Amino acid sequence: MILAMDTSTDVLSVSLHNGQEIIEEYSSKNKNKHSTRLMPAIDRIMKEAKVTPQDLTKIVVGMGPGSYTGVRIALSTAKTMAWTLNIPVVGVSSLRALSLQAAGDDYVCSFLDARRGLVYAGLYDKAGNEVLPEVNILMDEWLEKLAALNKQVTFVSPDLDKFQSLIGEHLGDRALYKPNGHHLMRAGLLAEVGKDFGPTDPHLLVPNYLRLVEAEAKWLEKQKADQHDR
Amino acid sequence: MGGIMKKTDQINILAIETSCDETAAAIIQNGHTILSEVVATQIDSHKRFGGVVPEIASRHHVEQMTQVLEETLTKASLTMEEIDAVAVTEGPGLVGALLVGVATAKALAFSHQLPLIGVHHIAGHIYANQLVESFKFPLLCLVVSGGHTELILMKEHGKFEVIGETRDDACGEAYDKVARVLDVPYPGGPHVDKLAKLGNDTLNLPRIYLEEDSYDFSFSGLKSAVINTVHNAKQKGIALKKEDIACSFQESVVEVLVEKTYRASVEYGVKQVVVAGGVAANSRLREALRERFNDPEVTLSIPPLALCTDNASMIGAAAYNDYQKQAFRGLDLNANPGLDLEQYGKR
Ligand SMILES: [Zn+2]
């Protein structure tokens, strides 16, 4: 029995997957309550399915990018459960999981608002391979890259409203959008993509932040500048 | 969670502490014996920034937590089957850092269906002393750290009454600021202490007692006095010895801390005085307290150096009361960066 979880966005999502299909899934959009609600949500779906922690065979976790704090809540929970129950853990990019909402389309771009015009973004082909590496980038710049590919791209994002007109400016009718209801993170899809992945050592699984800590970035910049001055 | 209590007199609590920049775990038996203890410190990661960067601290916690736990169990030669409860610091502290510990503790408790206990970080610092000797009530505690300067009265286990606290900077904060004036590396407190040992109390810095009957503290005036004294000397072309500045500052801090603690201990007729927090490692404070409290009726407890800084053993020691009272927490336990000690005592 596979347990999957993601708290990298405003949506908290947990799911149980028996290897063939999703048997339980619970999602809730309630920002900032992930810390208090994740463990009770897991407890609830496991009770529903009459599954005990000892019945779990694998844990799949959305490793970000997204809210730093949110990503760490799921990661800490998943790493600890996998380590202490002695079962494999798999980290899946939360962007990749999100892109599954448009599975079957040729090119799928999933993205999350990262504020100040920036996004976390990924682009995948039909088989789920990364066409461009996941990045933290200005949406303007990202869309230019997509336009240069000259392909039809399906967009999936909980923050689509905020960027839809900008996407239109760059891609025109080469941009496709999934209907409402297909833009939120779902742990069931996370389990689907993660169930066949090879495991990571739980000690070594780290979040996919896609961004340095601001203080660290500034410090590195200063080191570079100092080296120039010398 | 209403877990079933094991029928044995050996109670092993696995405790986790991640409130600031130490990733720590420990296993404590019966609230007083350390079976194992592991602390992964991050000092080197924060040094270049001159202080703790909260986001960096949180990132380290999530990377190190399970390894720290594994080492803790291995060191004690125990498995999770021999653990009776999981305890964790729920606050106060850096919220992102606390959340990693809380999520980890809940995942452990859930995976093994163990009771979960939330601990106040300062209660932990106070209970570090229980790892050395049993408490006698009423008890007075001087808490001195980077974030706290408080006098706390305890009439029984788990109940706390704050009778005095700082009105501005915490004592450790004042040390850090003076360390910056003296241009010594982070963390500043131990460096100022070292310099002070080599100097003399020559600057006549003020002793700030506030109102006569108050047990409150104030350190911002003293910090300003240090800055002004250094500035004025520079203007006049007088070279002050760093050692003398450090010594004069430290003498002023220690005198006020010790005197207020002594007066409160007499007024409340306490049987034991305990010192807690990072600044309890200060050599001059330890010495001055020992000189002042020479009454055989009052036990003075100063934790060994390793238990003054943040660790999980103290969390496991404080959690034992809750275990005995079966004051367990649910899987919705949250990090509480502003958790109040008196309120926590009423839980
Ligand atoms: Zn502390």
Side-chain angles (χ1 to χ4, degrees):
Chain A
M1 188 64 63
I2 303 165
L3 170 67
M5 61 186 95
D6 190 295
T7 55
S8 60
T9 68
D10 290 355
V11 171
L12 171 148
S13 187
V14 294
S15 157
L16 285 172
H17 192 294
N18 65 10
Q20 266 76 53
E21 57 181 353
I22 300 165
I23 60 161
E24 292 283 343
E25 187 169 13
Y26 170 82
S27 296
S28 164
K29 192 170 180 176
N30 193 339
K31 208 179 168 182
N32 297 331
K33 292 273 176 71
H34 294 343
S35 165
T36 52
R37 299 168 79 231
L38 176 60
M39 215 61 237
I42 292 172
D43 187 33
R44 185 171 141 194
I45 60 165
M46 286 179 59
K47 280 199 176 113
E48 285 283 339
K50 299 196 167 56
V51 167
T52 69
Q54 283 65 36
D55 296 331
L56 296 175
T57 53
K58 188 180 225 177
I59 297 192
V60 182
V61 60
M63 59 202 284
S67 142
Y68 293 166
T69 299
V71 167
R72 278 192 290 267
I73 290 169
L75 249 284
S76 300
T77 305
K79 278 170 66 116
T80 304
M81 287 184 73
W83 163 74
T84 200
L85 295 168
N86 200 18
I87 56 175
V89 63
V90 166
V92 174
S93 156
S94 300
L95 287 172
R96 171 76 185 106
L98 197 54
S99 78
L100 286 183
Q101 293 273 16
D105 287 15
D106 279 337
Y107 276 34
V108 182
C109 165
S110 52
F111 71 89
L112 299 168
D113 184 12
R115 283 181 226 143
R116 282 178 281 176
L118 292 159
V119 288
Y120 297 114
L123 183 69
Y124 311 87
D125 64 17
K126 215 172 202 166
N129 300 310
E130 277 183 55
V131 179
L132 295 172
E134 293 177 355
V135 275
N136 176 215
I137 192 172
L138 281 169
M139 188 54 153
D140 235 2
E141 229 173 279
W142 174 252
L143 291 171
E144 261 167 48
K145 284 181 192 233
L146 296 194
L149 294 173
N150 221 356
K151 296 262 189 185
Q152 210 147 48
V153 179
T154 307
F155 286 85
V156 178
S157 172
D159 307 310
L160 187 63
D161 285 357
K162 207 174 158 185
F163 293 94
Q164 196 162 347
S165 63
L166 190 64
I167 295 169
E169 279 170 34
H170 283 269
L171 291 172
D173 55 10
R174 274 178 290 140
L176 302 175
Y177 309 101
K178 293 301 285 185
N180 281 344
H182 291 263
H183 293 275
L184 299 182
M185 198 69 75
R186 279 187 51 200
L189 297 179
L190 190 72
E192 276 299 337
V193 68
K195 71 182 196 303
D196 303 321
F197 282 18
T200 308
D201 178 343
H203 292 327
L204 302 180
L205 184 63
V206 293
N208 177 27
Y209 295 112
L210 287 187
R211 189 145 87 181
L212 285 175
V213 178
E214 211 171 316
E216 218 165 11
K218 278 187 185 150
W219 185 83
L220 287 172
E221 239 167 63
K222 194 174 167 289
Q223 298 303 105
K224 245 192 228 162
D226 288 356
Q227 236 155 37
H228 262 279
D229 294 348
R230 233 174 274 152
Chain B
M1 285 167 80
I4 303 153
M5 275 225 238
K6 193 174 66 170
K7 291 239 164 43
T8 161
D9 36 359
Q10 306 298 346
I11 299 304
N12 298 328
I13 296 181
L14 174 61
I16 294 170
E17 149 66 39
T18 62
S19 67
C20 190
D21 62 341
E22 321 272 6
T23 315
I27 299 169
I28 303 303
Q29 192 162 77
N30 299 340
H32 53 66
T33 305
I34 303 174
L35 296 187
S36 71
E37 176 182 55
V38 176
V39 182
T41 180
Q42 307 175 0
I43 285 187
D44 286 338
S45 303
H46 299 281
K47 222 176 207 164
R48 59 192 155 137
F49 305 111
V52 174
V53 180
E55 176 59 22
I56 292 179
S58 307
R59 289 188 177 195
H60 278 288
H61 287 313
V62 76
E63 281 167 26
Q64 291 172 338
M65 193 71 248
T66 55
Q67 304 186 52
V68 166
L69 285 169
E70 183 165 288
E71 210 183 318
T72 306
L73 284 164
T74 307
K75 262 180 141 176
S77 301
L78 291 177
T79 64
M80 283 303 296
E81 281 65 53
E82 294 157 287
I83 299 297
D84 299 284
V86 178
V88 64
T89 307
E90 57 174 315
L94 304 170
V95 64
L98 289 166
L99 278 169
V100 173
V102 168
T104 303
K106 291 197 290 187
L108 270 180
F110 175 74
S111 295
H112 301 282
Q113 300 295 303
L114 292 172
L116 178 69
I117 298 167
V119 177
H120 190 289
H121 182 75
I122 295 304
H125 273 301
I126 295 171
Y127 273 86
N129 289 281
Q130 271 271 115
L131 296 162
V132 184
E133 56 195 320
S134 294
F135 284 174
K136 283 177 282 183
F137 300 106
L139 174 149
L140 180 70
C141 184
L142 171 67
V143 180
V144 268
S145 74
H148 296 264
T149 308
E150 280 148 24
L151 274 170
I152 292 157
L153 184 67
M154 287 178 70
K155 291 175 185 153
E156 59 177 301
H157 277 298
K159 304 280 174 214
F160 310 89
E161 194 184 319
V162 178
I163 59 167
E165 62 196 329
T166 183
R167 293 184 188 171
D168 38 62
D169 297 346
C171 178
E173 238 177 310
Y175 264 91
D176 283 341
K177 284 176 183 164
V178 168
R180 240 165 272 161
V181 174
L182 297 176
D183 200 25
V184 296
Y186 169 85
H191 285 103
V192 173
D193 188 14
K194 240 181 248 166
L195 278 177
K197 277 188 204 164
L198 306 170
N200 295 299
D201 182 9
T202 54
L203 303 187
N204 291 314
L205 293 172
R207 269 61 173 160
I208 296 162
Y209 280 96
L210 304 171
E211 305 82 40
E212 205 172 323
D213 57 346
S214 172
Y215 293 119
D216 281 350
F217 299 94
S218 167
F219 294 102
S220 73
L222 175 61
K223 169 199 73 192
S224 305
V226 171
I227 294 169
N228 290 339
T229 307
V230 171
H231 181 78
N232 290 343
K234 216 181 236 168
Q235 297 268 304
K236 289 179 197 151
I238 304 166
L240 291 177
K241 278 174 66 187
K242 271 189 182 186
E243 291 82 356
D244 291 344
I245 301 168
C247 180
S248 302
F249 164 74
Q250 178 149 295
E251 285 305 313
S252 170
V253 170
V254 168
E255 184 187 308
V256 175
L257 287 177
V258 172
E259 201 46 41
K260 290 214 176 208
T261 306
Y262 184 76
R263 284 185 204 166
S265 77
V266 173
E267 183 182 333
Y268 291 96
V270 303
K271 295 205 176 79
Q272 188 173 2
V273 172
V274 310
V275 192
V279 184
N282 182 280
S283 67
R284 180 64 188 126
L285 178 62
R286 296 166 85 92
E287 178 187 58
L289 283 165
R290 288 203 185 96
E291 281 166 13
R292 194 71 175 94
F293 288 91
N294 51 12
D295 177 352
E297 298 292 299
V298 181
T299 311
L300 174 69
S301 308
I302 308 177
L305 292 179
L307 290 176
C308 291
T309 45
D310 290 350
N311 62 80
S313 297
M314 65 187 201
I315 303 304
Y320 186 58
N321 294 308
D322 282 7
Y323 185 87
Q324 287 177 309
K325 288 187 210 146
Q326 297 217 35
F328 302 137
R329 308 292 290 275
L331 291 174
D332 60 348
L333 176 69
N334 200 6
N336 185 348
L339 186 62
D340 180 88
L341 184 61
E342 288 182 350
Q343 285 301 320
Y344 159 80
K346 289 176 191 143
R347 71 202 175 282

